[in-house]
Amino acid sequence: MYVGRFAPSPSGPLHIGSLVAALASYLDARAARGKWLVRIEDLDTPRVAAHADQLILSQLAALGMHWDEPPWYQSQRSAAYQAAFDQLSAQARIYPCGCSRREIADAVISEHGRLPDGERPYRGTCRTGLPKGKAAKSWRFVVKNDTTSFIDRWCGLQHQCVATQVGDFILRRSDGIWAYQLAVVVDDAAQGITHIVRGQDLLSSTARQHQLAHALGLIPPSVMHVPLVFDERGLKLSKQNGAQALQTAQPLQTLKQAWAYLQLGELQASDLEGFWSGATERWAQRYSLG
Ligand code: GLU
């Protein structure tokens, strides 16, 4: 049985970029005659916008995207994250880290002479114990020093050595906020998710999630990372970059706009029903799970 999900962070209403990911995951679930769930990822409390969850749900409903079970809220799942954290602690896979962002950046600069773009690998400074006089700023996961390989249904075969490219990563911050990486693995397993379809910005998180899943005795879901939408400056559309809230007054037009990013050709549809049946069929032809 196929179980897919859309997992928006409620930092604001959906924009065209988040709709592309939602649409792809919805079509994949419908094409497989599976279930489609929505999970509100409201862990990063400073970034949660009031009522954004309701806004997102009403945008999805207005577009004719219906979830099959009541949405989960990560803010209500602390006990499950704590249990996973304890399980990893019992395997000695967690340690407190006293490093600030600045200190981590400085360590990378002294090693490479500059700060590379994107990921800043953590070099395991606190792995052998907190330096004297330092308090824990976070708790990190001890990663395995091997290459993680997986097949992405959109991007193909992927390899990442988490140890060298990312390093031991954060599971919990000292303010108590659970990290996305831990929560997503715990919840995907708890909800029985079999297939993840999401934006390509999360492709580089997949190997981390595989390592966590394996340490917790879980089977990672299959993944598909669909293209992102960029603005005219070449930045990924996001709330922080000032992306426009999605208009749902003309749902067909909005869906067709998102469809265009999925590179499946023109779709003739004069109403929502026609869009959904045509789009699901086209998706099934191209990405059939057999
Ligand atoms: N909440 C994440 C985001 O909005 C998506 C998580 C996921 O799909 O794994 O970017």
Side-chain angles (χ1 to χ4, degrees):
M1 172 69 174
Y2 180 112
V3 186
R5 61 22 167 221
F6 174 52
S9 304
S11 54
L14 295 180
H15 49 75
I16 186 68
S18 36
L19 178 60
V20 171
L23 175 60
S25 83
Y26 188 78
L27 290 173
D28 202 46
R30 292 294 171 246
R33 300 186 193 284
K35 274 194 197 175
W36 188 67
L37 310 182
V38 173
R39 184 170 70 228
I40 304 293
E41 300 211 320
D42 54 350
L43 284 179
D44 192 356
T45 31
R47 289 186 51 213
V48 169
H51 313 300
D53 59 328
Q54 288 309 320
L55 212 52
I56 291 170
L57 294 172
S58 63
Q59 288 174 306
L60 293 172
L63 296 167
M65 299 169 77
H66 303 291
W67 45 97
D68 295 308
E69 285 176 13
W72 279 28
Y73 283 75
Q74 289 193 319
S75 53
Q76 292 165 19
R77 299 268 308 144
S78 290
Y81 309 144
Q82 185 67 55
F85 188 89
D86 293 345
Q87 194 181 332
L88 297 169
S89 279
Q91 299 170 38
R93 297 287 300 268
I94 294 182
Y95 62 86
C97 170
C99 299
S100 64
R101 276 167 175 273
R102 184 69 253 161
E103 287 166 330
I104 295 167
D106 287 348
V108 176
I109 293 170
S110 69
E111 192 176 329
H112 296 280
R114 65 178 188 93
L115 211 49
D117 296 336
E119 216 73 66
R120 291 169 193 182
Y122 179 66
R123 290 292 173 228
T125 313
C126 299
R127 220 191 222 214
T128 49
L130 270 179
K132 240 189 150 80
K134 284 217 164 180
K137 286 197 162 54
S138 61
W139 281 266
R140 290 182 183 268
F141 176 64
V142 179
V143 301
K144 287 235 178 330
N145 192 8
D146 52 19
T147 300
T148 302
S149 302
F150 60 93
I151 293 175
D152 184 272
R153 290 172 56 217
W154 191 287
C155 305
L157 181 61
Q158 305 291 313
H159 305 284
Q160 189 184 51
C161 177
V162 179
T164 52
Q165 290 174 33
V166 181
D168 296 339
F169 56 89
I170 294 177
L171 298 184
R172 191 177 200 185
R173 303 196 322 222
S174 62
D175 57 9
I177 293 184
W178 296 102
Y180 156 71
Q181 306 292 357
L182 179 69
V184 77
V185 169
V186 170
D187 286 345
D188 282 338
Q191 294 191 285
I193 303 299
T194 58
H195 293 76
I196 293 175
V197 180
R198 60 187 175 193
Q200 281 173 11
D201 52 333
L202 294 168
L203 182 62
S204 63
S205 284
T206 306
R208 262 170 275 182
Q209 293 166 14
H210 277 215
Q211 282 223 11
L212 271 179
H214 289 134
L216 290 165
L218 306 168
I219 299 169
S222 123
V223 287
M224 180 187 225
H225 289 87
V226 298
L228 300 174
V229 178
F230 297 96
D231 67 14
E232 48 300 326
R233 295 164 295 174
L235 300 172
K236 177 197 156 214
L237 273 201
S238 71
K239 176 81 193 315
Q240 293 90 301
N241 292 334
Q244 295 288 311
L246 207 64
Q247 292 308 316
T248 52
Q250 291 175 298
L252 183 60
Q253 206 176 307
T254 303
L255 286 168
K256 282 186 170 175
Q257 196 191 344
W259 170 260
Y261 287 98
L262 296 175
Q263 305 161 15
L264 288 166
E266 191 89 14
L267 193 70
Q268 301 299 332
S270 50
D271 56 18
L272 273 191
E273 204 180 318
F275 173 83
W276 285 117
S277 64
T280 308
E281 197 181 312
R282 189 79 63 83
W283 185 276
Q285 284 163 357
R286 178 73 178 78
Y287 297 112
S288 164
L289 290 161

